Amino acid sequence: MKDRRARRRAETQEEILRIALDVMAEEGVAALTMATVARRLGVQPPSLYKYFPSRAAVYDALFERGQLGYLHAVRQAAEGMEPGLEAMGASLEAGARWIMGNQVLAQLLFWRPVPGFRPSEQAYAPALGIHAHFKGLIEGAVARGEVHQDAAGEEGLALAASLIAGVVSQQLANQPEAGYEDGAYTRLVPRLPGIFAASYPCRGKGRKMPGERVN
């Protein structure tokens, strides 16, 4: 009996999250209300609070789900590859493809469209895994002599995140209906590892490091 109730509860929670995504896609991520979800589910609004105590809790569950999906995509893309720029490129492409296929969740994850919403520690944990994943790939690139060691610092990680965020932001702003291969901006993703490497060239290759003085 308890297993049956737990299964029903899980199924209802899944349905609530599915409906919430539909509402966010149709009306905007910040336009989600518990009343709208309840109406579409065919229940009174107070009934929803048995499954999610607030609208923020719904956002939190979706945020965690999205981060887990993105983390799985970038990890799977680099599986079996040596850490380095090639694996970084594969992960960046997989992440961009995931975003194009999950645009509503991506807005919640990366663009802060809901005033006042802050993910819980549990929901944010996969984001730390994403950070660690790319840090490991960049450290691998350093070990392989593909980039300078400074690339593995926080500034380098911020640059890598900014490069992919800039591309997908432009894509979603200008051509949200385009496929990954057809997008005017997503087609630039394969160039990003090279742009990143050019920002942190190894010494001895005829180029100076950013900010480095030439004697």
Side-chain angles (χ1 to χ4, degrees):
M1 190 67 175
K2 288 184 178 179
D3 289 343
R4 184 185 304 173
R5 285 200 297 266
R7 184 169 61 252
R8 286 180 179 174
R9 178 178 178 81
E11 290 172 351
T12 302
Q13 287 176 321
E14 285 295 316
E15 183 68 2
I16 290 170
L17 294 180
R18 185 192 65 76
I19 292 172
L21 278 175
D22 288 343
V23 174
M24 290 158 64
E26 295 167 14
E27 303 181 13
V29 176
L32 178 69
T33 67
M34 299 294 272
T36 302
V37 175
R39 184 173 65 251
R40 295 196 183 191
L41 188 62
V43 301
Q44 293 298 314
S47 298
L48 288 186
Y49 295 102
K50 296 186 296 184
Y51 304 97
F52 293 97
S54 65
R55 184 180 77 142
V58 175
Y59 282 132
D60 200 61
L62 290 172
F63 186 94
E64 182 177 12
R65 175 167 299 188
Q67 291 287 5
L68 285 170
Y70 190 85
L71 175 60
H72 175 74
V74 298
R75 279 180 172 171
Q76 187 175 47
E79 190 174 352
M81 301 177 69
E82 290 293 326
L85 290 181
E86 184 179 0
M88 178 183 176
S91 287
L92 289 174
E93 177 179 342
R97 288 182 181 275
W98 185 91
I99 288 172
M100 294 302 295
N102 298 272
Q103 295 185 25
V104 177
L105 276 178
Q107 291 178 54
L108 181 63
L109 268 55
F110 304 121
W111 286 277
R112 294 183 179 271
V114 183
F117 169 67
R118 293 180 64 86
S120 65
E121 185 175 335
Q122 175 180 323
Y124 192 73
L128 300 179
I130 295 166
H131 183 275
H133 172 75
F134 280 101
K135 181 175 178 62
L137 297 184
I138 295 172
E139 288 174 344
V142 171
R144 292 164 65 90
E146 295 174 329
V147 293
H148 188 269
Q149 63 183 12
D150 288 351
E154 288 303 312
E155 180 187 89
L157 290 165
L159 175 60
S162 298
L163 288 173
I164 188 62
V167 166
V168 295
S169 294
Q170 287 292 325
Q171 186 63 53
L172 294 181
N174 293 283
Q175 294 180 312
E177 303 301 326
Y180 175 86
E181 286 82 4
D182 302 326
Y185 298 94
T186 48
R187 71 178 61 156
L188 303 176
V189 171
R191 299 187 185 183
L192 298 184
I195 295 172
F196 180 78
S199 299
Y200 293 97
C202 290
R203 300 178 189 274
K205 292 190 176 182
R207 290 178 288 184
K208 72 182 183 69
M209 291 297 298
E212 182 179 3
R213 296 177 61 184
V214 178
N215 294 325

